[in-house]
Amino acid sequence: MTPGESTQAALILKVATHLFAALGYDGTSTRQIAEAAGLNIATVNYHVGGKRELYLAVMEAAHQAEKAALERALERLPGDDPVAALHRLTDDYLDFCVDHPEVPALWMHRWLSDAGDITQLERQYVKPLMETVTAALRPAVESGLISPDADVEYTVWTVVWAVHGFAKGGVLDAEGRRRAAGDRAALRRFRAHLHRVVHRTLGLPGDPR
């Protein structure tokens, strides 16, 4: 692939990611992607194939970004202060989703049955990441840091549900205006709330941080 072709392919992937995140797979056409990229459909097909292949490439890129972020976060997990480390893991995931809002948006479309004919992505991408995170928390359960009554798997899912919802939809303020992750005050308040949820759900010692 020549440098020019590589640049076009990267542009197509970027535009497709934006449109799939905004409109979903079912609501996006190859023509829309081509027009947004300033190319014709033949050029899009040449670089990435059809709409299905492009969607799979977008989801693969999103997964790899999320996987890399989680791996970096988990590398720091034990630390000198295990409770602070668990909160830092929550922060790292929140920060990733705030910095890459297209990733939670893509998955939220799938929660609403978008691209229903493409069924393997949850098994291929989501399940291994969930298993990795819950396995990383197992030593904290075995040591007694996390309460034996806590449902660790559902706590991890609760963080995912909450973070994706906040990153995508934000919250409403007193005047009914939507405050999303770009609003520092809303983000700070959500972060503190998420810490309290995780701390109390896992039965961690001390006060939420």
Side-chain angles (χ1 to χ4, degrees):
M1 182 179 291
T2 67
E5 290 175 335
S6 177
T7 300
Q8 283 191 330
L11 173 62
I12 293 168
L13 185 64
K14 180 179 179 180
V15 168
T17 300
H18 173 76
L19 288 175
F20 286 142
L23 306 176
Y25 175 81
D26 297 333
T28 302
S29 68
T30 307
R31 182 174 299 279
Q32 286 174 298
I33 294 170
E35 290 177 353
L39 303 169
N40 57 50
I41 292 179
T43 302
V44 173
N45 289 338
Y46 168 76
H47 284 298
V48 298
K51 175 180 167 180
R52 180 187 179 93
E53 289 75 22
L54 183 51
Y55 179 72
L56 291 176
V58 166
M59 296 305 291
E60 169 69 17
H63 167 69
Q64 290 301 331
E66 184 173 12
K67 180 173 180 284
L70 278 174
E71 287 176 346
R72 289 193 298 270
L74 290 174
E75 285 175 357
R76 304 186 300 150
L77 185 56
D80 296 331
D81 186 337
V83 173
L86 289 174
H87 285 294
R88 186 172 60 236
L89 176 62
T90 303
D91 279 335
D92 286 344
Y93 187 68
L94 173 59
D95 291 339
F96 169 80
C97 289
V98 168
D99 292 340
H100 301 84
E102 72 281 1
V103 175
L106 288 166
W107 286 110
M108 287 186 75
H109 278 295
R110 291 191 62 82
W111 293 355
L112 299 174
S113 301
D114 186 51
D117 60 321
I118 302 176
T119 60
Q120 75 274 21
L121 298 185
E122 283 72 18
R123 182 174 62 254
Q124 182 179 353
Y125 295 148
V126 179
K127 190 172 184 292
L129 289 185
M130 292 296 296
E131 290 174 345
T132 296
V133 175
T134 53
L137 298 181
R138 195 168 297 128
V141 176
E142 294 170 349
S143 70
L145 179 70
I146 292 176
S147 169
D149 297 327
D151 190 322
V152 174
E153 182 181 5
Y154 265 49
T155 301
V156 175
W157 271 115
T158 298
V159 170
V160 172
W161 296 328
V163 169
H164 281 210
F166 178 77
K168 173 64 176 175
V171 295
L172 298 181
D173 64 13
E175 285 74 40
R177 294 172 298 189
R178 191 173 298 279
R179 300 295 185 184
D183 185 298
R184 291 185 179 180
L187 177 59
R188 183 168 56 251
R189 183 177 173 186
F190 176 75
R191 189 186 302 275
H193 171 70
L194 193 63
H195 279 230
R196 288 191 294 270
V197 169
V198 169
H199 198 96
R200 291 166 181 165
T201 304
L202 293 180
L204 299 177
D207 296 323
R209 307 179 185 186

